[in-house]
Each structure stands twice: as structure tokens, then as C-alpha cells.
Amino acid sequence: MSLVVDGHLDVEAVRSHFPALKQSQVYLDNAGGSQIIGDAIDSIQTYLEESNVQLGASYRVGQKATAKYDEGFAAAAEFMNASTDEIVIGPSTTQLFSNLAQAFAHSFPDDAEIICSSIDHEANISAWVRLAKVRNLKIKWWTPSAEPGDLKLTPDNLRPLMSDKTKLVTCTHTSNILGTIHDIRAIADEVHKTPGAMLCVDGVAFAPHREVDVEALGVDVYAFSWYKVRLSVISGKDEARIVLTTGSCQVYGPHIAVLYASRAAQRSITSLGHYFHTPADTLATKLGLAAASYELVGTIPAILDYFGPDRKQTWAAIAAHEQDLQEILLDFLNRREDVIVYAERSADAKLRVPVISFSVKGRSSREIVEQVDASSDFGIRWGHFYSKRMVDDLLGLKTDGVIRVSMVHYNTGMLAPALLLEHLE
């Protein structure tokens, strides 16, 4: 069943792939993890029933298990336009960044500087702060304007921080709170003006919404989670209505993550693997530490199949549908004088994804969300969503944080404004 009909996303066809959407719960917390497609669920069960053995064995079931894993690994590389020797799969983006930081520890010079975005999820901050502490390296904080509508990372606000000592720059493709899309290609070009400097990007909140092409982006390192590549839909009272997620976003699959590192970046990596894995081995043997669950990796071909034979067409239809979804909610929020929408206020799909965060003047974010919980099946969230440095220091919301509505393409319709109106008054 095609997801695209006459150039438009067929939301009912989309929803039919997600067993969880048969429930009354309206998933609007997708940035924390999307729902999983049914074929991926079936793949896990089949693997465990028919091929749950150690990889690499020569007997028949062992060969079957290895082939299933290898197909999943190759599909992961294909999804982001990488080669299989350039990726590693692990339990989470947080873990993979932590492994990478440990593997970089011996290659950075003593006077190296690391530039960290202050609006990132902690996954792409804490690993580098720990590395800097262990090696006594200098951290520079990349902080955009604190104005609510101007929280965007750009080459212009990065440039003053760069120096000939810069070894690594870290940032998010899309914040799991703000939803604004950063121009990663332009940022990568700026970083690479400094010889030896690398760019490490957290794509968790971007990958569920747009196509990822690491070659086109020009990045040195890029990571995202498969369980946050998701979709959103909103409809009538008796149907699931809205699902939004980012931040720790994943791509409609199980709880695993993938990290890409270019061959040039891998020259700075000291292997964490066993001694008999030579330096010529792949990124997976250097960083993976046997942490990629066989049955979960085996689901990834089903995720690629879900997008159909023309993935570019499907992604374009998803972007158009998500623009319609976020336009309805943003129009409602932008009209209210008592609401502060953080970052991009436009619904243009070129500028943002449908991860929308706001606060209400004089009101507790927690109180509003709990009222919604008590009176509806809408699943929205309050808090800092592991972007605590930004929420505390830039937004000044240390107590309850923001209200976040995060949608994906399996959401359809828009009852959210009417629901929120009831609780904002």
C-alpha cells in the first residue's frame, strides 16, 4: 500500500502500519519516541522464534541470523547515505556519543578546544564535558540569542568562537524542544575552514521528519535513534488524534541508535574493541562493544520498506503534511498574547519540524499538562526533556519547563487548539 497518492500523504494508509494507533491514546509526545511499525514488531518476533543464535556460525540457523543482521546493518547505512564501515549501531544516541568521546580522548592535543551548543539535548553535551574534564581541555559554549523567537544556531554566531585550536564542534540538527531546523551544511562548511576541526551533529529530533544524507550535509559525525523516527496523525474523537515527538526522536523502529563517522574522523578514534580487532576494522568494531541487539537491528529493512520505493517522494509528502499540522497549532498559539512560543514561529516546513514548545504567562506548565491528562486522551508533556541547560539558563523555566507538543506524520486533523483553549483560559 503506497503512502503517497497523487503527491499527497495518505494518512489512513500511514496509520494502518502502526498497531498502537488503534488505541484511544493520542500520541503527541513523539519527540520522546515514535510508535513502531507493525512489520518491525513482527520482525522481532520472527527473529527470536527462528534465528536467535550467535552471529557468525556456519550452521544453517547461524547463517540465517547473520544474514538478517547484515541486512539490517546495511539498511541503516543506506538510510543515511553512508557506507557500512562508517556506521555503528548501539543502544542509544547517548551511549554512542559517550563511546565516541572516550575513543577520541587520546587523539586531541593538550590545548584543544571543544565548542558545544548550549541548546542541545544533554546526550551531545555531557560526553564532551566529561572528555574536557578528563583531559583538561577548554569548552566554549555556543549560545544563540536568548530571545524566544531567535534561538537558532548559525555560522555567524559560531564564527567568533572558532580558533586554530578548535578540534570539535557539537550541535543539534533540530532541537527536541525548539523544532527549528539548523543549516547543517553551512555550519559544516564554517567548521571545516579550520584545519582539523570536526562537526558532530545530534540528528535525533530531525530524522523522524526529513531525509538524512550525511554526504550532502558534510558532517564528520551524525547520530540518531531508530525509536524516534516517527509519524503523527490527528482525527476524530474516537480515533487517535495527534502524535508529536523529537528531542530523543527516533525513526519508527525499536530502541536502538546509529552513529556515522566519516573515514577522516575515524583517524582520530582509538578503538575500544578487543585487542585482536585491528585498526583496519570497521567503526562498529571500534565503538560498538557488541551492544547492537541482533533482533532489533534486523527490523531496519522493514522501516526502509515502509517509506516505499521512492523515499524522496515520501519524505516530501511527509514534510507537506507536517507543515499543515504545525500551521494549525502555531496559528492558534501565535494569536494568544499570553503564550510564548519558543524559537521558530513560522510553520514553514523548510524552517521547522512539528516539535512545538511554549509556556503560558502566569501559569504552571505542569498544571496545564496535568489538566489535559485528566480530561482527554491527548498525550503531551511538560519539562526540560534533557535539554536542561537551555530550559534553565536560556528560557529561565527552571521549575516546570515548557509545554511540548510533538507531532509526526501519522497524526491527522487538529483538535489540539480546541483542547488547549479549554485549559489556557
mmCIF file of all heavy atoms in Angstrom, residues 246-295:
data_model
loop_
_atom_site.group_PDB
_atom_site.id
_atom_site.type_symbol
_atom_site.label_atom_id
_atom_site.label_comp_id
_atom_site.label_asym_id
_atom_site.label_seq_id
_atom_site.Cartn_x
_atom_site.Cartn_y
_atom_site.Cartn_z
ATOM 1 N N THR A 246 10.213 14.589 19.336
ATOM 2 C CA THR A 246 11.545 14.870 18.852
ATOM 3 C C THR A 246 12.507 14.677 19.997
ATOM 4 O O THR A 246 12.415 13.724 20.737
ATOM 5 C CB THR A 246 11.650 16.302 18.341
ATOM 6 O OG1 THR A 246 10.862 17.124 19.144
ATOM 7 C CG2 THR A 246 11.196 16.407 16.933
ATOM 8 N N GLY A 247 13.442 15.661 20.146
ATOM 9 C CA GLY A 247 14.361 15.530 21.238
ATOM 10 C C GLY A 247 15.023 14.228 21.148
ATOM 11 O O GLY A 247 15.960 14.018 20.428
ATOM 12 N N SER A 248 14.570 13.268 21.885
ATOM 13 C CA SER A 248 15.089 11.931 21.779
ATOM 14 C C SER A 248 14.275 11.267 20.694
ATOM 15 O O SER A 248 13.578 10.303 20.941
ATOM 16 C CB SER A 248 14.894 11.223 23.091
ATOM 17 O OG SER A 248 15.456 11.959 24.126
ATOM 18 N N CYS A 249 14.300 11.817 19.536
ATOM 19 C CA CYS A 249 13.425 11.340 18.489
ATOM 20 C C CYS A 249 13.974 10.091 17.854
ATOM 21 O O CYS A 249 15.153 9.949 17.754
ATOM 22 C CB CYS A 249 13.305 12.383 17.422
ATOM 23 S SG CYS A 249 12.646 13.899 18.058
ATOM 24 N N GLN A 250 13.098 9.241 17.334
ATOM 25 C CA GLN A 250 13.527 8.034 16.661
ATOM 26 C C GLN A 250 12.690 7.763 15.429
ATOM 27 O O GLN A 250 11.657 8.367 15.232
ATOM 28 C CB GLN A 250 13.445 6.857 17.613
ATOM 29 C CG GLN A 250 14.425 6.963 18.773
ATOM 30 C CD GLN A 250 13.829 7.526 20.003
ATOM 31 O OE1 GLN A 250 12.747 8.043 19.993
ATOM 32 N NE2 GLN A 250 14.553 7.445 21.081
ATOM 33 N N VAL A 251 13.146 6.789 14.616
ATOM 34 C CA VAL A 251 12.559 6.594 13.301
ATOM 35 C C VAL A 251 11.677 5.358 13.233
ATOM 36 O O VAL A 251 12.012 4.401 12.560
ATOM 37 C CB VAL A 251 13.649 6.521 12.233
ATOM 38 C CG1 VAL A 251 13.044 6.515 10.850
ATOM 39 C CG2 VAL A 251 14.601 7.696 12.380
ATOM 40 N N TYR A 252 10.579 5.336 13.946
ATOM 41 C CA TYR A 252 9.524 4.315 13.820
ATOM 42 C C TYR A 252 9.989 2.895 14.051
ATOM 43 O O TYR A 252 9.378 1.954 13.561
ATOM 44 C CB TYR A 252 8.845 4.442 12.458
ATOM 45 C CG TYR A 252 8.625 5.871 12.061
ATOM 46 C CD1 TYR A 252 9.235 6.391 10.930
ATOM 47 C CD2 TYR A 252 7.837 6.702 12.832
ATOM 48 C CE1 TYR A 252 9.057 7.715 10.582
ATOM 49 C CE2 TYR A 252 7.657 8.035 12.483
ATOM 50 C CZ TYR A 252 8.273 8.533 11.361
ATOM 51 O OH TYR A 252 8.106 9.842 11.017
ATOM 52 N N GLY A 253 11.106 2.748 14.744
ATOM 53 C CA GLY A 253 11.652 1.431 14.986
ATOM 54 C C GLY A 253 11.866 1.180 16.467
ATOM 55 O O GLY A 253 11.344 1.911 17.315
ATOM 56 N N PRO A 254 12.635 0.144 16.810
ATOM 57 C CA PRO A 254 12.877 -0.220 18.207
ATOM 58 C C PRO A 254 13.932 0.664 18.858
ATOM 59 O O PRO A 254 14.513 1.545 18.217
ATOM 60 C CB PRO A 254 13.352 -1.670 18.095
ATOM 61 C CG PRO A 254 14.058 -1.712 16.776
ATOM 62 C CD PRO A 254 13.263 -0.797 15.873
ATOM 63 N N HIS A 255 14.212 0.397 20.128
ATOM 64 C CA HIS A 255 15.081 1.264 20.919
ATOM 65 C C HIS A 255 16.552 0.956 20.658
ATOM 66 O O HIS A 255 17.251 0.334 21.463
ATOM 67 C CB HIS A 255 14.771 1.091 22.403
ATOM 68 C CG HIS A 255 15.178 2.267 23.238
ATOM 69 N ND1 HIS A 255 16.483 2.673 23.351
ATOM 70 C CD2 HIS A 255 14.453 3.144 23.968
ATOM 71 C CE1 HIS A 255 16.552 3.727 24.146
ATOM 72 N NE2 HIS A 255 15.330 4.038 24.535
ATOM 73 N N ILE A 256 17.032 1.420 19.491
ATOM 74 C CA ILE A 256 18.441 1.361 19.138
ATOM 75 C C ILE A 256 18.805 2.650 18.418
ATOM 76 O O ILE A 256 17.917 3.405 18.012
ATOM 77 C CB ILE A 256 18.795 0.152 18.236
ATOM 78 C CG1 ILE A 256 17.849 0.091 17.025
ATOM 79 C CG2 ILE A 256 18.791 -1.134 19.028
ATOM 80 C CD1 ILE A 256 18.224 -0.990 16.016
ATOM 81 N N ALA A 257 20.089 2.897 18.270
ATOM 82 C CA ALA A 257 20.556 4.125 17.638
ATOM 83 C C ALA A 257 21.693 3.814 16.676
ATOM 84 O O ALA A 257 22.306 2.742 16.733
ATOM 85 C CB ALA A 257 21.025 5.122 18.699
ATOM 86 N N VAL A 258 21.975 4.771 15.790
ATOM 87 C CA VAL A 258 23.063 4.611 14.829
ATOM 88 C C VAL A 258 23.922 5.865 14.834
ATOM 89 O O VAL A 258 23.405 6.986 14.992
ATOM 90 C CB VAL A 258 22.517 4.331 13.406
ATOM 91 C CG1 VAL A 258 21.652 5.470 12.904
ATOM 92 C CG2 VAL A 258 23.656 4.053 12.416
ATOM 93 N N LEU A 259 25.224 5.689 14.703
ATOM 94 C CA LEU A 259 26.159 6.812 14.619
ATOM 95 C C LEU A 259 27.018 6.641 13.382
ATOM 96 O O LEU A 259 27.559 5.550 13.135
ATOM 97 C CB LEU A 259 27.031 6.882 15.873
ATOM 98 C CG LEU A 259 28.057 8.023 15.930
ATOM 99 C CD1 LEU A 259 28.197 8.547 17.371
ATOM 100 C CD2 LEU A 259 29.444 7.579 15.423
ATOM 101 N N TYR A 260 27.129 7.705 12.617
ATOM 102 C CA TYR A 260 28.013 7.770 11.445
ATOM 103 C C TYR A 260 29.259 8.557 11.816
ATOM 104 O O TYR A 260 29.185 9.604 12.481
ATOM 105 C CB TYR A 260 27.289 8.476 10.299
ATOM 106 C CG TYR A 260 28.216 9.077 9.247
ATOM 107 C CD1 TYR A 260 28.705 8.317 8.191
ATOM 108 C CD2 TYR A 260 28.589 10.421 9.321
ATOM 109 C CE1 TYR A 260 29.550 8.870 7.237
ATOM 110 C CE2 TYR A 260 29.435 10.989 8.371
ATOM 111 C CZ TYR A 260 29.914 10.211 7.329
ATOM 112 O OH TYR A 260 30.754 10.762 6.388
ATOM 113 N N ALA A 261 30.407 8.061 11.386
ATOM 114 C CA ALA A 261 31.660 8.826 11.480
ATOM 115 C C ALA A 261 32.404 8.669 10.165
ATOM 116 O O ALA A 261 32.632 7.544 9.698
ATOM 117 C CB ALA A 261 32.518 8.345 12.643
ATOM 118 N N SER A 262 32.759 9.780 9.559
ATOM 119 C CA SER A 262 33.459 9.731 8.285
ATOM 120 C C SER A 262 34.804 9.022 8.445
ATOM 121 O O SER A 262 35.336 8.902 9.551
ATOM 122 C CB SER A 262 33.696 11.158 7.766
ATOM 123 O OG SER A 262 34.648 11.828 8.588
ATOM 124 N N ARG A 263 35.355 8.574 7.338
ATOM 125 C CA ARG A 263 36.645 7.886 7.406
ATOM 126 C C ARG A 263 37.727 8.832 7.932
ATOM 127 O O ARG A 263 38.642 8.398 8.651
ATOM 128 C CB ARG A 263 37.012 7.331 6.031
ATOM 129 C CG ARG A 263 36.066 6.215 5.580
ATOM 130 C CD ARG A 263 36.496 5.575 4.271
ATOM 131 N NE ARG A 263 35.559 4.531 3.866
ATOM 132 C CZ ARG A 263 34.536 4.722 3.049
ATOM 133 N NH1 ARG A 263 34.321 5.931 2.547
ATOM 134 N NH2 ARG A 263 33.727 3.727 2.742
ATOM 135 N N ALA A 264 37.616 10.108 7.590
ATOM 136 C CA ALA A 264 38.590 11.082 8.109
ATOM 137 C C ALA A 264 38.461 11.208 9.623
ATOM 138 O O ALA A 264 39.470 11.242 10.347
ATOM 139 C CB ALA A 264 38.371 12.434 7.437
ATOM 140 N N ALA A 265 37.227 11.270 10.122
ATOM 141 C CA ALA A 265 37.015 11.373 11.571
ATOM 142 C C ALA A 265 37.515 10.125 12.287
ATOM 143 O O ALA A 265 38.030 10.198 13.414
ATOM 144 C CB ALA A 265 35.533 11.594 11.874
ATOM 145 N N GLN A 266 37.394 8.977 11.637
ATOM 146 C CA GLN A 266 37.811 7.728 12.271
ATOM 147 C C GLN A 266 39.324 7.659 12.504
ATOM 148 O O GLN A 266 39.786 6.888 13.346
ATOM 149 C CB GLN A 266 37.355 6.538 11.426
ATOM 150 C CG GLN A 266 35.852 6.324 11.440
ATOM 151 C CD GLN A 266 35.435 5.071 10.696
ATOM 152 O OE1 GLN A 266 36.025 4.001 10.882
ATOM 153 N NE2 GLN A 266 34.422 5.183 9.837
ATOM 154 N N ARG A 267 40.065 8.486 11.802
ATOM 155 C CA ARG A 267 41.515 8.509 12.033
ATOM 156 C C ARG A 267 41.865 9.058 13.416
ATOM 157 O O ARG A 267 42.973 8.850 13.914
ATOM 158 C CB ARG A 267 42.211 9.323 10.940
ATOM 159 C CG ARG A 267 42.207 8.638 9.575
ATOM 160 C CD ARG A 267 43.218 9.252 8.629
ATOM 161 N NE ARG A 267 42.813 10.558 8.138
ATOM 162 C CZ ARG A 267 42.095 10.762 7.032
ATOM 163 N NH1 ARG A 267 41.714 9.730 6.292
ATOM 164 N NH2 ARG A 267 41.773 11.982 6.645
ATOM 165 N N SER A 268 40.895 9.762 14.044
ATOM 166 C CA SER A 268 41.110 10.292 15.397
ATOM 167 C C SER A 268 40.603 9.360 16.485
ATOM 168 O O SER A 268 40.681 9.670 17.670
ATOM 169 C CB SER A 268 40.416 11.655 15.543
ATOM 170 O OG SER A 268 40.966 12.620 14.669
ATOM 171 N N ILE A 269 40.076 8.216 16.090
ATOM 172 C CA ILE A 269 39.465 7.286 17.036
ATOM 173 C C ILE A 269 40.462 6.213 17.470
ATOM 174 O O ILE A 269 41.129 5.593 16.644
ATOM 175 C CB ILE A 269 38.227 6.605 16.408
ATOM 176 C CG1 ILE A 269 37.087 7.621 16.273
ATOM 177 C CG2 ILE A 269 37.772 5.399 17.220
ATOM 178 C CD1 ILE A 269 35.866 7.069 15.562
ATOM 179 N N THR A 270 40.565 6.016 18.775
ATOM 180 C CA THR A 270 41.279 4.882 19.336
ATOM 181 C C THR A 270 40.254 3.797 19.629
ATOM 182 O O THR A 270 39.276 4.042 20.335
ATOM 183 C CB THR A 270 42.003 5.271 20.639
ATOM 184 O OG1 THR A 270 42.938 6.307 20.364
ATOM 185 C CG2 THR A 270 42.725 4.067 21.231
ATOM 186 N N SER A 271 40.439 2.625 19.093
ATOM 187 C CA SER A 271 39.439 1.566 19.218
ATOM 188 C C SER A 271 39.185 1.184 20.669
ATOM 189 O O SER A 271 40.118 1.062 21.473
ATOM 190 C CB SER A 271 39.881 0.325 18.436
ATOM 191 O OG SER A 271 38.933 -0.719 18.601
ATOM 192 N N LEU A 272 37.911 0.996 20.994
ATOM 193 C CA LEU A 272 37.514 0.485 22.303
ATOM 194 C C LEU A 272 37.332 -1.036 22.263
ATOM 195 O O LEU A 272 37.002 -1.648 23.278
ATOM 196 C CB LEU A 272 36.194 1.128 22.748
ATOM 197 C CG LEU A 272 36.120 2.655 22.766
ATOM 198 C CD1 LEU A 272 34.747 3.106 23.250
ATOM 199 C CD2 LEU A 272 37.217 3.257 23.624
ATOM 200 N N GLY A 273 37.514 -1.620 21.077
ATOM 201 C CA GLY A 273 37.253 -3.043 20.897
ATOM 202 C C GLY A 273 38.367 -3.947 21.415
ATOM 203 O O GLY A 273 39.388 -3.480 21.931
ATOM 204 N N HIS A 274 38.170 -5.233 21.245
ATOM 205 C CA HIS A 274 39.142 -6.218 21.714
ATOM 206 C C HIS A 274 40.464 -6.086 20.955
ATOM 207 O O HIS A 274 40.506 -5.603 19.820
ATOM 208 C CB HIS A 274 38.584 -7.630 21.523
ATOM 209 C CG HIS A 274 37.325 -7.882 22.302
ATOM 210 N ND1 HIS A 274 37.192 -7.546 23.628
ATOM 211 C CD2 HIS A 274 36.130 -8.435 21.935
ATOM 212 C CE1 HIS A 274 35.986 -7.888 24.052
ATOM 213 N NE2 HIS A 274 35.314 -8.421 23.039
ATOM 214 N N TYR A 275 41.529 -6.542 21.585
ATOM 215 C CA TYR A 275 42.867 -6.330 21.035
ATOM 216 C C TYR A 275 43.058 -6.977 19.671
ATOM 217 O O TYR A 275 43.872 -6.522 18.868
ATOM 218 C CB TYR A 275 43.926 -6.843 22.018
ATOM 219 C CG TYR A 275 44.059 -8.352 22.056
ATOM 220 C CD1 TYR A 275 44.981 -9.013 21.247
ATOM 221 C CD2 TYR A 275 43.263 -9.114 22.898
ATOM 222 C CE1 TYR A 275 45.097 -10.391 21.270
ATOM 223 C CE2 TYR A 275 43.367 -10.489 22.926
ATOM 224 C CZ TYR A 275 44.286 -11.132 22.118
ATOM 225 O OH TYR A 275 44.395 -12.506 22.144
ATOM 226 N N PHE A 276 42.326 -8.059 19.392
ATOM 227 C CA PHE A 276 42.523 -8.758 18.117
ATOM 228 C C PHE A 276 41.729 -8.125 16.979
ATOM 229 O O PHE A 276 41.792 -8.589 15.850
ATOM 230 C CB PHE A 276 42.171 -10.245 18.248
ATOM 231 C CG PHE A 276 40.859 -10.528 18.929
ATOM 232 C CD1 PHE A 276 39.657 -10.434 18.255
ATOM 233 C CD2 PHE A 276 40.854 -10.884 20.277
ATOM 234 C CE1 PHE A 276 38.463 -10.704 18.891
ATOM 235 C CE2 PHE A 276 39.654 -11.155 20.922
ATOM 236 C CZ PHE A 276 38.452 -11.066 20.232
ATOM 237 N N HIS A 277 40.978 -7.058 17.260
ATOM 238 C CA HIS A 277 40.367 -6.266 16.190
ATOM 239 C C HIS A 277 41.385 -5.220 15.754
ATOM 240 O O HIS A 277 41.735 -4.324 16.507
ATOM 241 C CB HIS A 277 39.091 -5.576 16.678
ATOM 242 C CG HIS A 277 37.962 -6.532 16.917
ATOM 243 N ND1 HIS A 277 37.003 -6.314 17.888
ATOM 244 C CD2 HIS A 277 37.645 -7.701 16.326
ATOM 245 C CE1 HIS A 277 36.134 -7.305 17.874
ATOM 246 N NE2 HIS A 277 36.504 -8.164 16.933
ATOM 247 N N THR A 278 41.853 -5.324 14.545
ATOM 248 C CA THR A 278 42.951 -4.474 14.087
ATOM 249 C C THR A 278 42.457 -3.068 13.773
ATOM 250 O O THR A 278 41.254 -2.832 13.604
ATOM 251 C CB THR A 278 43.580 -5.070 12.824
ATOM 252 O OG1 THR A 278 42.631 -4.950 11.746
ATOM 253 C CG2 THR A 278 43.934 -6.529 13.031
ATOM 254 N N PRO A 279 43.357 -2.092 13.647
ATOM 255 C CA PRO A 279 42.959 -0.727 13.290
ATOM 256 C C PRO A 279 42.214 -0.636 11.965
ATOM 257 O O PRO A 279 41.510 0.337 11.712
ATOM 258 C CB PRO A 279 44.295 0.011 13.225
ATOM 259 C CG PRO A 279 45.197 -0.762 14.127
ATOM 260 C CD PRO A 279 44.786 -2.193 13.965
ATOM 261 N N ALA A 280 42.384 -1.629 11.108
ATOM 262 C CA ALA A 280 41.699 -1.596 9.810
ATOM 263 C C ALA A 280 40.241 -2.016 9.902
ATOM 264 O O ALA A 280 39.518 -1.975 8.925
ATOM 265 C CB ALA A 280 42.431 -2.510 8.823
ATOM 266 N N ASP A 281 39.804 -2.453 11.084
ATOM 267 C CA ASP A 281 38.428 -2.901 11.243
ATOM 268 C C ASP A 281 37.454 -1.728 11.141
ATOM 269 O O ASP A 281 37.833 -0.559 11.124
ATOM 270 C CB ASP A 281 38.246 -3.629 12.574
ATOM 271 C CG ASP A 281 38.717 -5.072 12.506
ATOM 272 O OD1 ASP A 281 38.763 -5.630 11.394
ATOM 273 O OD2 ASP A 281 39.045 -5.628 13.557
ATOM 274 N N THR A 282 36.180 -2.047 11.138
ATOM 275 C CA THR A 282 35.135 -1.050 10.909
ATOM 276 C C THR A 282 34.859 -0.211 12.151
ATOM 277 O O THR A 282 35.312 -0.532 13.264
ATOM 278 C CB THR A 282 33.836 -1.744 10.493
ATOM 279 O OG1 THR A 282 33.377 -2.548 11.589
ATOM 280 C CG2 THR A 282 34.059 -2.624 9.270
ATOM 281 N N LEU A 283 34.062 0.820 11.963
ATOM 282 C CA LEU A 283 33.646 1.664 13.087
ATOM 283 C C LEU A 283 32.888 0.835 14.120
ATOM 284 O O LEU A 283 33.000 1.081 15.324
ATOM 285 C CB LEU A 283 32.767 2.804 12.574
ATOM 286 C CG LEU A 283 32.321 3.840 13.615
ATOM 287 C CD1 LEU A 283 33.514 4.608 14.166
ATOM 288 C CD2 LEU A 283 31.311 4.807 12.999
ATOM 289 N N ALA A 284 32.130 -0.151 13.654
ATOM 290 C CA ALA A 284 31.356 -0.984 14.578
ATOM 291 C C ALA A 284 32.257 -1.733 15.553
ATOM 292 O O ALA A 284 31.936 -1.868 16.742
ATOM 293 C CB ALA A 284 30.491 -1.967 13.794
ATOM 294 N N THR A 285 33.392 -2.233 15.083
ATOM 295 C CA THR A 285 34.295 -2.946 15.990
ATOM 296 C C THR A 285 35.047 -1.973 16.897
ATOM 297 O O THR A 285 35.461 -2.349 17.994
ATOM 298 C CB THR A 285 35.308 -3.803 15.214
ATOM 299 O OG1 THR A 285 36.087 -2.964 14.352
ATOM 300 C CG2 THR A 285 34.612 -4.863 14.397
ATOM 301 N N LYS A 286 35.198 -0.739 16.471
ATOM 302 C CA LYS A 286 35.903 0.249 17.284
ATOM 303 C C LYS A 286 35.034 0.811 18.408
ATOM 304 O O LYS A 286 35.519 1.071 19.509
ATOM 305 C CB LYS A 286 36.389 1.400 16.402
ATOM 306 C CG LYS A 286 37.449 1.002 15.379
ATOM 307 C CD LYS A 286 37.766 2.169 14.440
ATOM 308 C CE LYS A 286 38.772 1.759 13.384
ATOM 309 N NZ LYS A 286 39.026 2.840 12.398
ATOM 310 N N LEU A 287 33.751 1.000 18.131
ATOM 311 C CA LEU A 287 32.870 1.676 19.094
ATOM 312 C C LEU A 287 31.692 0.848 19.584
ATOM 313 O O LEU A 287 31.088 1.183 20.601
ATOM 314 C CB LEU A 287 32.299 2.969 18.477
ATOM 315 C CG LEU A 287 33.246 4.092 18.108
ATOM 316 C CD1 LEU A 287 32.452 5.292 17.612
ATOM 317 C CD2 LEU A 287 34.098 4.498 19.294
ATOM 318 N N GLY A 288 31.345 -0.217 18.863
ATOM 319 C CA GLY A 288 30.078 -0.900 19.134
ATOM 320 C C GLY A 288 30.022 -1.688 20.419
ATOM 321 O O GLY A 288 28.972 -1.775 21.064
ATOM 322 N N LEU A 289 31.140 -2.290 20.835
ATOM 323 C CA LEU A 289 31.203 -3.075 22.067
ATOM 324 C C LEU A 289 30.089 -4.112 22.142
ATOM 325 O O LEU A 289 29.516 -4.362 23.209
ATOM 326 C CB LEU A 289 31.163 -2.148 23.289
ATOM 327 C CG LEU A 289 32.289 -1.106 23.373
ATOM 328 C CD1 LEU A 289 32.122 -0.231 24.593
ATOM 329 C CD2 LEU A 289 33.647 -1.776 23.370
ATOM 330 N N ALA A 290 29.769 -4.713 21.006
ATOM 331 C CA ALA A 290 28.768 -5.800 20.929
ATOM 332 C C ALA A 290 27.422 -5.400 21.515
ATOM 333 O O ALA A 290 26.688 -6.238 22.029
ATOM 334 C CB ALA A 290 29.304 -7.048 21.623
ATOM 335 N N ALA A 291 27.073 -4.118 21.403
ATOM 336 C CA ALA A 291 25.852 -3.616 22.044
ATOM 337 C C ALA A 291 24.663 -3.512 21.099
ATOM 338 O O ALA A 291 23.595 -3.054 21.496
ATOM 339 C CB ALA A 291 26.122 -2.248 22.666
ATOM 340 N N ALA A 292 24.828 -3.921 19.842
ATOM 341 C CA ALA A 292 23.724 -3.838 18.889
ATOM 342 C C ALA A 292 22.878 -5.107 18.966
ATOM 343 O O ALA A 292 23.322 -6.183 18.589
ATOM 344 C CB ALA A 292 24.263 -3.652 17.468
ATOM 345 N N SER A 293 21.656 -4.971 19.483
ATOM 346 C CA SER A 293 20.759 -6.113 19.638
ATOM 347 C C SER A 293 20.439 -6.723 18.279
ATOM 348 O O SER A 293 19.957 -6.046 17.373
ATOM 349 C CB SER A 293 19.465 -5.658 20.315
ATOM 350 O OG SER A 293 18.466 -6.630 20.206
ATOM 351 N N TYR A 294 20.681 -8.009 18.124
ATOM 352 C CA TYR A 294 20.509 -8.672 16.827
ATOM 353 C C TYR A 294 19.086 -8.534 16.306
ATOM 354 O O TYR A 294 18.855 -8.192 15.141
ATOM 355 C CB TYR A 294 20.854 -10.159 16.932
ATOM 356 C CG TYR A 294 22.241 -10.487 17.429
ATOM 357 C CD1 TYR A 294 22.534 -11.750 17.919
ATOM 358 C CD2 TYR A 294 23.265 -9.543 17.408
ATOM 359 C CE1 TYR A 294 23.802 -12.072 18.383
ATOM 360 C CE2 TYR A 294 24.531 -9.851 17.866
ATOM 361 C CZ TYR A 294 24.798 -11.123 18.358
ATOM 362 O OH TYR A 294 26.055 -11.436 18.807
ATOM 363 N N GLU A 295 18.111 -8.851 17.152
ATOM 364 C CA GLU A 295 16.728 -8.845 16.682
ATOM 365 C C GLU A 295 16.224 -7.444 16.363
ATOM 366 O O GLU A 295 15.357 -7.270 15.505
ATOM 367 C CB GLU A 295 15.802 -9.515 17.712
ATOM 368 C CG GLU A 295 15.634 -8.790 19.027
ATOM 369 C CD GLU A 295 16.698 -9.155 20.048
ATOM 370 O OE1 GLU A 295 17.741 -9.723 19.661
ATOM 371 O OE2 GLU A 295 16.478 -8.873 21.248
#
